[in-house]
Amino acid sequence: MTRDPDGQRLPVDYVWYAAYGSNMHGERFDHYLRGGRPEHGARTYPGCRDRTPPRRTAPVRLPGRMYFALESLVWTGGLALYDPLDPGETLARAYLLTTDQFTDVAAQEMHRPPGAAVSLTAAIEHGTATLGPGRYETLISPGRLDGHPLLTFTAPWRSETTVWTAPSAPYLRHLAQGLIETHAHTPTQAATYLATRPGAAGTWTTNAIESLLPTTRTT
């Protein structure tokens, strides 16, 4: 029986983690599950207590808009945040995890140790819950997929109230590779999507982002 930190039984045993940032890239997300330090990253992750791979993955589209703001402590440059109240939609990759795995992923994003208390009940039942003032300490549940709740995390503020910041090249590379893996995007489609997000727009062009991606050569 899975319980929240207050002892309340959670209504579900599995949730979908909807990743809209660099965790769309499976290789990068693996560091949250198994621990380690991603290439060009500035942080070593402890990983989840349960390192079992996700049961399933699926492409999803979330209502609202992804934008870049603040400064990533891992990649430098702006980091991806999500405002569910903005117009448009956000492309994401859903990973089917146990509730314990999701709380460990969320704890690492919140710079807490795996196993730290992260309550999911309010977000699942009410659609949102703010667990702290930090950049990834607000849980959002945009709906359900195949009977399991979708959950993601973001900042507690609206996108229009913060200063947008251009993301770094290594960070964009992970996001673009995640879009290609998840949504079957071409490099141009992935780069165009990212180049039009607030924070990247006006600094990064489609061509510049596409040039960050590895090329496939034929002989």
Side-chain angles (χ1 to χ4, degrees), residues 5-186:
D6 60 3
Q8 182 177 355
R9 187 184 188 281
L10 280 170
V12 293
D13 294 317
Y14 291 92
V15 298
W16 292 96
Y17 163 40
Y20 55 84
S22 61
N23 279 343
M24 286 190 290
H25 188 200
E27 179 183 303
R28 190 269 186 277
F29 178 58
D30 194 53
H31 291 90
Y32 277 88
L33 287 176
R34 298 197 301 169
R37 189 173 193 167
E39 185 179 6
H40 303 302
R43 180 183 175 195
T44 300
Y45 296 86
C48 293
R49 293 165 294 171
D50 175 1
R51 303 188 177 193
T52 305
R55 274 66 178 173
R56 290 170 54 197
T57 69
V60 293
R61 294 172 179 262
L62 309 178
R65 183 173 58 167
M66 186 265 281
Y67 63 98
F68 296 101
L70 306 178
E71 182 174 355
S72 171
L73 302 178
V74 179
W75 309 105
T76 72
L79 74 162
L81 294 168
Y82 168 62
D83 190 333
L85 300 180
D86 276 356
E89 63 180 10
T90 292
L91 303 179
R93 181 176 192 171
Y95 297 93
L96 187 59
L97 307 175
T98 68
T99 52
D100 284 342
Q101 283 181 310
F102 177 82
T103 58
D104 283 355
V105 171
Q108 290 175 83
E109 284 283 30
M110 297 175 187
H111 291 268
R112 307 175 189 181
V118 177
S119 178
L120 307 184
T121 299
I124 292 172
E125 293 183 349
H126 305 294
T128 186
T130 296
L131 307 182
R135 53 188 66 186
Y136 285 133
E137 293 187 325
T138 294
L139 297 180
I140 302 290
S141 181
R144 287 179 175 259
L145 177 64
D146 294 340
H148 302 292
L150 280 163
L151 284 169
T152 193
F153 21 74
T154 188
W157 52 77
R158 294 295 314 279
S159 67
E160 62 193 19
T161 65
T162 191
V163 177
W164 298 336
T165 311
S168 68
Y171 191 52
L172 284 172
R173 187 181 301 115
H174 280 297
L175 269 74
Q177 290 177 306
L179 290 167
I180 292 168
E181 284 182 358
T182 307
H183 291 269
H185 275 16
T186 66

